Amino acid sequence: MRKLFLLFAVLFVGNLAMAQAQKQLNFGVGVNNGGLPVYASFDIPVHNDIAVAPFVQFNLDGFDYFAFGARGDYYFDRIMKLPESFDFYAGANLGYWMWFNNNNSTSPIYGGLEVGGRWFWSEKWGMNLEFSGGIGYGVRFGLTYKM
């Protein structure tokens, strides 16, 4: 629990240090080995090419789990010279599962990797698509709102 508190404290300090940078809210649905998840995350830039994000996710298919954690992503936009309307990123995540049934024997702590992209059709709104692996693998798609 102390490590989780420390992680969120670091995220908060990073947020203060980069207060002038762009922040993004991501939300949507997906398909994975645990069912049909609904997710939300909030990107906080800590460097020109790096963002961290707290996230939450729960399962629509049976409501049998809730997950939360943090992720860190590296954005390849500058290296690949992508237009401002596109993002391409890859990163890692660490989280905690809370299972609502007693039939699951997996560890509540998990880690994984993700790769994804976004396309913005306006200054504020875009679509996102992400592929992830680790203890839970799958595809997520949804919307992004720039703050």
Side-chain angles (χ1 to χ4, degrees), residues 95-111:
Y96 185 84
W97 292 94
M98 293 187 326
W99 293 96
F100 300 129
N101 62 28
N102 294 328
N103 299 332
N104 196 320
S105 61
T106 61
S107 169
I109 308 268
Y110 71 94

Side-chain angles (χ1 to χ4, degrees), residues 24-28 39-43 53-56 71 118 130:
Q24 300 177 137
L25 175 65
N26 307 288
F27 54 93
Y39 72 94
S41 66
F42 185 68
D43 292 345
F55 68 86
V56 296
R71 56 188 280 165
R118 296 184 187 98
E130 183 174 290

Side-chain angles (χ1 to χ4, degrees), residues 56-113:
V56 296
Q57 177 174 308
F58 67 91
N59 186 8
L60 278 179
D61 186 25
F63 297 100
D64 56 354
Y65 76 82
F66 176 79
F68 64 93
R71 56 188 280 165
D73 292 315
Y74 181 83
Y75 286 81
F76 296 94
D77 303 358
R78 186 175 48 86
I79 293 172
M80 297 174 69
K81 298 181 178 162
L82 294 176
E84 284 189 35
S85 60
F86 289 97
D87 282 341
F88 177 68
Y89 60 89
N93 58 67
L94 182 63
Y96 185 84
W97 292 94
M98 293 187 326
W99 293 96
F100 300 129
N101 62 28
N102 294 328
N103 299 332
N104 196 320
S105 61
T106 61
S107 169
I109 308 268
Y110 71 94
L113 301 173

